[in-house]
Amino acid sequence: MMNKIEKAYADRDLVTLDALAEPTFRVLNKRNDFRSVLMLSCNNIKHLTKIEQLDADCIMLNLEDGVSKEDKHFALVLCAIFLTKHTECSKKLVVRVNALDDGGYEEITYLNQFMPDAIRVPKIKNKKEVDNVLALLNEEIELHLSIETSEAWHNLATLKGNLRVTTFYLGILDLFADMKLSQSLINLNNPTMLYMLSHFLITSKAMRVKPVSFVYQEFKNLDEFSLWIDLEKSMGYDAKGCISPDQVRLTNEKFVDEEDQIKRAQVIVKLFEMHRETGVTGFVDEEYGFIDEPIYKGALALLNIN
């Protein structure tokens, strides 16, 4: 199967790729306690094949930035193919489509049949656009929004409007550019940056929406990245966008709430052992998402139970 996919992509054979994308029922991951959100470009097959091995809690299957115009259709079909390869996944699989006026609506329509856990819409502006997406999106799929336009920032408190809107992402570079603010303001001690982080967090939390902090682009500067996480955690954040495995590792380490993790592990152990008695070793819990033997063993390890 992988050889066929790689050959079709290398040959720019969209017809063959499309035939390989067969809609399959997926058990949706409803977890909302993810910490690290790792970007994966959907035109990179090697990265897509490693989804299960990645440490990130949430994988952002990206169709927008980093995917050339010529590769957009191929990336969309590859995204669909790899969604069908993960009918049950302990990681939340979210697809970031292109802007609504740049193919986003069409991509959402296509992806409905492949059932990602969530769709993330960039460049959102207002509640009308949110309502349009909700009317189109399969009712089982969550809607996540990127806050990266001045209109979205102005309308932030009005953008939820529906329980399916569960997560906001702070797109700080695009937001600053749209507001004509210098990116030099993005530093740890700048009062404008601190205000924006605080406002985004409190407004999101007040609406019962999960706020995910911005992607730090200098992925080799882990020292400063670590300081950003320390600041954000002290403010109340529990999740951050990432673009490298090292960023994921630091995010997972620093955003751990040990008490919550222990409670979660205890519940997972009880649920798994209860289901195992009936012969079931893989199932979906409404609160804790997909649970199987590896998840169970991880909970045992956290609790130091042999």
Side-chain angles (χ1 to χ4, degrees), residues 164-233:
R164 285 192 286 153
V165 180
T166 63
T167 306
F168 289 165
Y169 302 84
L170 182 58
I172 200 69
L173 294 181
D174 286 324
L175 183 58
F176 270 45
D178 200 40
M179 290 183 172
K180 295 182 170 49
L181 290 171
S182 170
Q183 292 184 9
S184 66
L185 300 178
I186 306 174
N187 67 68
L188 288 157
N189 300 309
N190 185 275
T192 299
M193 190 65 193
L194 294 177
Y195 163 74
M196 296 187 84
L197 283 169
S198 299
H199 179 77
F200 180 70
L201 174 79
I202 296 303
T203 305
S204 300
K205 289 283 190 180
M207 292 185 290
R208 303 294 189 267
V209 172
K210 183 182 182 72
V212 178
S213 190
F214 67 97
V215 170
Y216 180 75
Q217 296 291 330
E218 297 178 36
F219 63 92
K220 292 184 178 180
N221 189 348
L222 295 177
D223 290 338
E224 185 160 300
F225 181 77
S226 181
L227 292 175
W228 276 111
I229 300 176
D230 289 339
L231 171 65
E232 292 159 9
K233 184 176 181 180

Side-chain angles (χ1 to χ4, degrees), residues 1-2 5 22-29 40 45-54 59 61 78-94 114-117 284 290 292:
M1 177 66 167
M2 279 307 305
I5 296 170
E22 299 181 2
T24 304
F25 174 78
R26 294 191 69 248
V27 177
L28 297 187
N29 186 327
L40 285 189
I45 296 175
K46 289 183 179 179
H47 288 176
L48 292 173
T49 60
K50 297 177 181 178
I51 286 174
E52 284 289 2
Q53 288 81 51
L54 296 170
I59 305 297
L61 299 168
L78 286 172
C79 178
I81 290 171
F82 279 90
L83 283 171
T84 65
K85 290 173 70 67
H86 296 280
T87 55
E88 293 181 328
C89 191
S90 60
K91 305 170 193 311
K92 200 172 188 77
L93 301 182
V94 182
F114 298 97
M115 297 295 290
D117 299 321
V284 176
F290 179 62
D292 61 1

Side-chain angles (χ1 to χ4, degrees), residues 93-146:
L93 301 182
V94 182
V95 181
R96 182 167 80 163
V97 298
N98 285 278
L100 296 176
D101 58 1
D102 193 25
Y105 284 121
E106 292 80 6
E107 289 169 345
I108 292 168
T109 301
Y110 175 77
L111 289 167
N112 269 337
Q113 62 189 318
F114 298 97
M115 297 295 290
D117 299 321
I119 289 288
R120 173 178 171 181
V121 177
K123 310 294 189 298
I124 202 74
K125 297 183 180 69
N126 52 53
K127 188 176 181 297
K128 182 179 179 180
E129 288 186 342
V130 175
D131 291 341
N132 288 342
V133 173
L134 286 170
L136 182 64
L137 186 64
N138 184 298
E139 64 182 12
E140 296 298 320
I141 300 173
E142 293 177 19
L143 178 57
H144 296 187
L145 304 176
S146 291

